[in-house]
Amino acid sequence: MNSRQVEASKIAQPIGTALDRFIKNNQDQFQYASGELSQLLRDIALASKVVNREVNKAGLIDLAGAQGTSNMAGDQQQKLDVLANIRFTRALAKGGEACAVISEETDARVDVNNYGKYVIAIDPLDGSSNIDVNVSIGTIFSIYRRKTKVGSDVGDEDILQKGSKQVAAGYVLYGSSTMLVYTTGFGTNGFTYDSGLGEYFLSHPQMKMPTDGSIYSINEGLAHSFSDDIRHYLENCKKRNYTARYIGSLVADFHRNMLKGGIYIYPATAKSPNGKLRLMYECNALAFVAEQAGGIATDGKRRILEITPTSLHERTPFYVGSANMVVEASKTQ
Ligand code: FBP
């Protein structure tokens, strides 16, 4: 059999491009292509496989429920929140490429290695309210290149960088299947996890978010404290018989809208005048992924990636999804 016949054989269906190979094949795209970012992406993928395994069997190994502690935002931490935070922080520290990690579950940044070249901002487990009820949850990550000299102490200038400075970002969706979706600024690609082989395979190359959609995702239970403009936009959606879909897990709502077209909005509300979601480890990453797939992300007025952060856990209103829908929704603001 020659290589063409091997490749074309129907008996052994090709299994697709493994994440490792994809990272290697695309490494040269990257400005600082010396393998460190590739290793970082592998470290995140490995930690996500461990977290995936624990999420899947949480109910069997007493990992369900609250930890009895709360994070700096006052949110009650779930056991899996704490576990996922340890898994990712440990993998990033062991990998040696990270100099600091910012996490939703940790009040202050964690300096891990002054010789690391990258800063990682992470929401280890997004959609905490859905953990115990077996609804899709996710992990969200942003990667920045440090600004200070390698070997010196990490400083605020390394951490408080605009989203437009991200060198890579993505999310993991722990759903009916587990997927890793990320960008390094050369389009957005999706990989599906084959737990039998313990490997992610390219399943959604060069993802494109439809410029228009008919799905809107917002917690209308908070409608009493929405601005008139938001209410006006929602009225338009209903007049057009759009479909309301709100899972309550940002990653899951975002992923659906990325595939089918739609908009996710978490606006400023009376309870959360700056919105609920965190700029550094929830919004910046999804804004980068969305833009690389042809979508748009704003805070209702400004491009999310142009916002200069002033604190680790700062919140922002978030409008993300199909370009024409976000433009319309933002225009009303
Ligand atoms: P966590 O990262 O703490 O889970 O918070 C974010 C989040 O759960 C999003 O995943 C979700 O879209 C939103 O908050 C749900 O908020 P609400 O329950 O107020 O609608």
Side-chain angles (χ1 to χ4, degrees):
M1 257 179 139
N2 63 32
S3 62
R4 212 164 26 73
Q5 289 164 322
V6 167
E7 193 43 40
S9 109
K10 289 277 176 286
I11 291 175
Q13 289 293 328
I15 53 170
T17 306
L19 175 66
D20 266 15
R21 181 173 305 286
F22 183 88
I23 291 174
K24 192 164 174 297
N25 293 351
N26 292 280
Q27 187 167 285
D28 299 340
Q29 280 177 340
F30 184 63
Q31 184 183 357
Y32 309 101
S34 49
E36 290 124 347
L37 178 68
S38 302
Q39 186 50 48
L40 243 171
L41 290 168
R42 289 193 193 95
D43 298 336
I44 290 172
L46 175 61
S48 76
K49 294 175 188 176
V50 179
V51 169
N52 180 62
R53 184 186 65 189
E54 277 144 0
V55 164
N56 287 345
K57 57 181 184 181
L60 299 174
I61 54 173
D62 188 29
L63 275 177
Q67 175 72 5
T69 51
S70 56
N71 61 23
M72 70 119 12
D75 302 334
Q76 218 198 29
Q77 291 179 310
Q78 304 299 306
K79 288 179 187 165
L80 275 170
D81 279 326
V82 176
L83 179 131
N85 188 45
I86 294 167
R87 290 285 182 211
F88 281 102
T89 306
R90 191 186 282 159
L92 292 166
K94 271 214 182 118
E97 312 301 351
C99 61
V101 177
I102 308 160
S103 166
E104 178 182 6
E105 303 309 332
T106 320
D107 299 356
R109 76 164 189 256
V110 179
D111 294 350
V112 286
N113 162 20
N114 275 359
Y115 290 90
K117 293 181 180 146
Y118 296 96
V119 171
I120 293 86
I122 192 160
D123 180 355
L125 220 50
D126 169 67
S128 312
S129 59
N130 281 326
I131 292 175
D132 289 352
V133 291
N134 214 352
V135 170
S136 302
I137 49 182
T139 292
I140 308 174
F141 63 90
S142 285
I143 303 176
Y144 297 84
R145 184 114 177 145
R146 68 180 297 171
K147 295 169 91 172
T148 54
K149 200 164 156 311
V150 172
S152 66
D153 288 347
V154 177
D156 280 351
E157 66 268 46
D158 297 312
I159 307 298
L160 299 177
Q161 300 190 51
K162 282 183 183 177
S164 55
K165 296 293 180 201
Q166 291 172 99
V167 291
Y171 59 86
V172 182
L173 175 61
Y174 309 101
S176 45
S177 68
T178 295
M179 279 193 71
L180 168 66
V181 175
Y182 80 97
T183 181
T184 55
F186 298 90
T188 291
N189 294 283
F191 300 78
T192 299
Y193 184 55
D194 179 335
S195 55
L197 294 174
E199 184 53 89
Y200 285 102
F201 291 95
L202 183 63
S203 53
H204 297 65
Q206 290 297 328
M207 299 171 85
K208 289 285 169 266
M209 190 185 278
T211 45
D212 260 307
S214 57
I215 295 172
Y216 63 96
S217 311
I218 187 168
N219 182 347
E220 285 201 82
L222 302 168
H224 59 282
S225 72
F226 289 164
S227 65
D228 292 347
D229 298 327
I230 284 283
R231 284 208 206 102
H232 177 69
Y233 176 71
L234 294 178
E235 277 320 304
N236 284 344
C237 290
K238 291 169 186 165
K239 281 193 198 113
R240 298 174 196 149
N241 298 323
Y242 286 2
T243 300
R245 288 281 181 274
Y246 191 71
I247 297 169
S249 288
L250 168 61
V251 169
D253 282 313
F254 175 87
H255 187 74
R256 183 208 44 250
N257 293 348
M258 172 125 92
L259 296 177
K260 295 192 166 190
I263 185 170
Y264 171 101
I265 305 175
Y266 207 108
T269 62
K271 183 172 157 229
S272 315
N274 297 318
K276 175 187 179 181
L277 301 174
R278 279 44 70 98
L279 176 66
M280 294 289 298
Y281 44 76
E282 288 173 321
C283 302
N284 273 336
L286 298 185
F288 191 19
V289 167
E291 288 197 6
Q292 285 293 315
I296 287 181
T298 75
D299 66 353
K301 294 185 178 63
R302 299 169 294 175
R303 183 179 171 230
I304 287 285
L305 297 182
E306 284 312 319
I307 300 174
T308 303
T310 53
S311 67
L312 292 188
H313 302 282
E314 76 180 70
R315 300 175 189 268
T316 177
F318 195 41
Y319 298 63
V320 63
S322 296
N324 295 344
M325 297 180 84
V326 176
V327 167
E328 184 191 349
S330 303
K331 228 182 9 223
T332 63
Q333 299 315 299

